[in-house]
Amino acid sequence: MSHIQAMTLPEYSKFDRWAGNVRDMATIYRPVNADEEAEVMRLWTTVFGDDKALFQSNQDSEPNRQLHQTLVAHDGERIVSTVQYFNRHTRMLDGTVQKMGAIANVATFQEARKQGHSGKLLELAIDWMRKDGCTWSQLFTGVNAHYERYGWKTIQTRYREGTLASEAPVVGSWRVVPVNPRSDSKSLAQIAQVYDVYNANRPLTHVRTMLHWEKAVMPRMMWTNGVTYTACEGDCSKVSAYVVCKTNDDKLFIQEIGYIPGGEDAVNALMALVHELAVHRNVQIVRAHLPFEPVVNDALGRLVSGIETGYYRYMMARSLVDSLSQEDVEKPFAMDGPHFWPLDDF
Ligand SMILES: CC(C)(COP(=O)(O)OP(=O)(O)OC[C@H]1O[C@@H](n2cnc3c(N)ncnc32)[C@H](O)[C@@H]1OP(=O)(O)O)[C@@H](O)C(=O)NCCC(=O)NCCS
């Protein structure tokens, strides 16, 4: 009698790992094949109903990603479920830059759900992220319980919201202009320089390559009626500060801000244009996804009144290595200063 024949059914249906793949009786869990990219894209657009550009933007921003970063469940006929991760270099509380496994595109076709496909792929992704040297992992979700089973914990994140002040802040001597980051590559590069300075020591921020700016961040600056303003002095050879905002229904969202030393006052000047934009778009409520730090706090206080802090519960994170405790992973999210920028979403 062969070894397989001798197995009882429950033993046989246990997941059998070899060569990085996991197999059960009918379905194989494995890295995507190079010629299956169109098939996984169809799965994502079917399940999420989103524009292909949303998925493509993050794919393109990590050109060196490996096939094993997209894990699929194949039922013998087609791919029925996927989990993907990107390697994002993030700044840590101890000042180091470490690799974070950014979990994305977790999807199972409706008719293949509740068979454990996604769970098995998440377990496989944890193995692969560790092999890739990721020390922790982050994701965004509305189905938190799905991930809790596999070790991710919900992290409460803060935002601030208030009503547009009756009077606009003052521009002063700053030259503040709207820029189109899609057509103005020089301005995008200047903004990237300001980002690097402002976030040089800011935990939770991503180290962005210029390619990441062009492929992932820039489209997000444009989506949902996005508007970017820069502030500069004199001949504008150097940008001192920038702000990115968007409007959605009745709210204006401030997505990102940055300034260099000496540009603190330019943030107030930018807020004057944000105020003007809100008036122009007939929006009264402003929600700021910005770090809690003195310059931003002051500028926000001039733009809106009745500021209140609100909380999201859609972010989750987990440690992947013994040298970084779960507590260490969660700590910076509750601190003033550290910040995850929404333009880095995945
Ligand atoms: C979330 C999603 C990916 C889960 O996929 P899935 O393959 O059904 O996931 P699993 O089978 O591993 O787990 C789903 C449920 O089935 C249960 N389950 C797992 N194996 C099972 C089995 N053999 N028999 C019955 N139930 C089972 C799990 O316990 C889980 O239970 P819950 O509903 O109480 O949480 C899927 O529902 C989906 O694509 N949703 C839409 C997109 C989405 O929301 N993605 C997440 C974005 S962050």
Side-chain angles (χ1 to χ4, degrees), residues 47-48 106-108 113-116 118-119 140-141 146-147 149:
V47 170
F48 295 109
V106 177
T108 304
R113 288 180 191 165
K114 293 195 181 287
Q115 297 169 40
S118 185
F140 302 93
T141 189
H146 182 56
Y147 301 96
R149 257 182 237 118

Side-chain angles (χ1 to χ4, degrees), residues 43 47-48 80-83 103-110 112-120 122 139-143 145-147 149-150:
L43 195 164
V47 170
F48 295 109
V80 291
S81 183
T82 63
V83 166
I103 294 278
N105 303 337
V106 177
T108 304
F109 277 130
Q110 180 90 45
R113 288 180 191 165
K114 293 195 181 287
Q115 297 169 40
H117 294 323
S118 185
K120 277 160 216 145
L122 285 171
L139 58 85
F140 302 93
T141 189
V143 288
H146 182 56
Y147 301 96
R149 257 182 237 118
Y150 304 99

Side-chain angles (χ1 to χ4, degrees), residues 197-303:
V197 173
Y198 184 54
N199 296 295
N201 300 308
R202 192 174 305 287
L204 300 178
T205 57
H206 292 194
V207 179
R208 296 178 182 167
T209 62
M210 210 51 224
L211 185 80
H212 182 74
W213 271 97
E214 284 158 11
K215 300 294 182 185
V217 179
M218 184 274 284
R220 285 164 174 73
M221 293 163 84
M222 309 290 294
W223 289 340
T224 330
N225 300 316
V227 176
T228 300
Y229 298 110
T230 58
C232 53
E233 283 179 301
D235 64 355
C236 273
S237 56
K238 188 174 81 179
V239 165
S240 297
Y242 73 95
V243 64
V244 183
C245 33
K246 66 176 185 180
T247 49
N248 205 352
D249 300 330
D250 62 337
K251 279 195 182 66
L252 184 145
F253 294 84
I254 307 181
Q255 305 258 79
E256 189 158 308
I257 233 168
Y259 59 89
I260 57 173
E264 292 81 356
D265 185 45
V267 177
N268 287 321
L270 290 168
M271 291 301 180
L273 265 83
V274 175
H275 192 283
E276 205 174 278
L277 178 72
V279 171
H280 179 68
R281 292 192 178 171
N282 203 19
V283 166
Q284 279 299 310
I285 307 293
V286 176
R287 183 174 292 188
H289 295 142
L290 299 176
F292 287 66
E293 60 100 340
V295 172
V296 168
N297 300 350
D298 178 59
L300 209 52
R302 294 166 197 241
L303 176 72

